[in-house]
Amino acid sequence: MQSVEIQGLDRVTKALDGLPDVIRKARGEVFEEMGGELLSAVQRRIGGSGRVAGAQEYQVGSGKGYVAVRAKAKTDLDGYAAGYITNALEGGHKVRKPAKAGSRSRAKTDRAHGKYMYRDTHQMEAEQAAETAARRIEDAAVKALDGGAT
């Protein structure tokens, strides 16, 4: 009987078996860093005194598949939930009319314009962040396949 022995196949098999864990770990690290950068960008776009900006946080998905910036849960800003205030800033809100009959409103419009801090951050930062993330995850995978330390 003839036999064929392939040298190094065990090493390749072992590297491929561990590759999903290496990618998941690298993806988690990249999203943690990106979360901080995106949070800073959103906070800069919010502006103001810092109360609403300080009520923002980033979260990495449980499967390490995404990062999101959002208002902190169970955070109160002057009797309103932080998410409620953030949504009003993001998309605009109605302007109240004066309560007294005969009073004139100084408002020139019936709606305040939104700041669109989430949308603009996504549009400006997402493409660059995705390229950086893909490159770093690919580098980690190649390093693992080459037998480097993970």
Side-chain angles (χ1 to χ4, degrees), residues 12-139:
V12 171
T13 303
K14 188 176 182 181
L16 288 174
D17 287 343
L19 193 59
D21 293 331
V22 169
I23 291 174
R24 189 175 302 111
K25 180 182 176 192
R27 198 169 53 191
E29 291 170 358
V30 166
F31 283 140
E32 282 290 332
E33 285 182 25
M34 285 175 43
E37 293 171 14
L38 292 173
L39 177 62
S40 295
V42 167
Q43 288 174 332
R44 281 191 307 272
R45 283 187 171 81
I46 290 173
S49 66
R51 290 181 43 228
V52 177
Q56 305 298 308
E57 67 181 351
Y58 73 90
Q59 291 183 329
V60 178
S62 60
K64 308 294 187 221
Y66 71 93
V67 64
V69 177
R70 56 178 66 126
K72 290 179 185 175
K74 299 179 182 170
T75 302
D76 185 61
L77 297 171
D78 293 333
Y80 294 99
Y84 182 79
I85 302 293
T86 302
N87 287 342
L89 283 175
E90 174 70 11
H93 57 87
K94 289 182 93 173
V95 176
R96 279 194 286 182
K97 301 292 182 202
K100 294 180 182 180
S103 296
R104 287 195 58 184
S105 174
R106 291 183 293 157
K108 303 290 187 219
T109 181
D110 62 343
R111 290 196 61 81
H113 296 289
K115 289 190 174 203
Y116 302 109
M117 60 268 184
Y118 293 128
R119 183 190 69 186
D120 292 347
T121 299
H122 173 74
Q123 289 175 345
M124 297 178 94
E125 313 268 339
E127 187 174 324
Q128 178 185 359
E131 290 174 7
T132 302
R135 186 174 51 251
R136 289 191 48 208
I137 292 168
E138 182 180 340
D139 290 346

Side-chain angles (χ1 to χ4, degrees), residues 1-7 9:
M1 178 180 299
Q2 295 179 352
S3 68
V4 176
E5 188 175 314
I6 300 175
Q7 304 251 336
L9 185 59

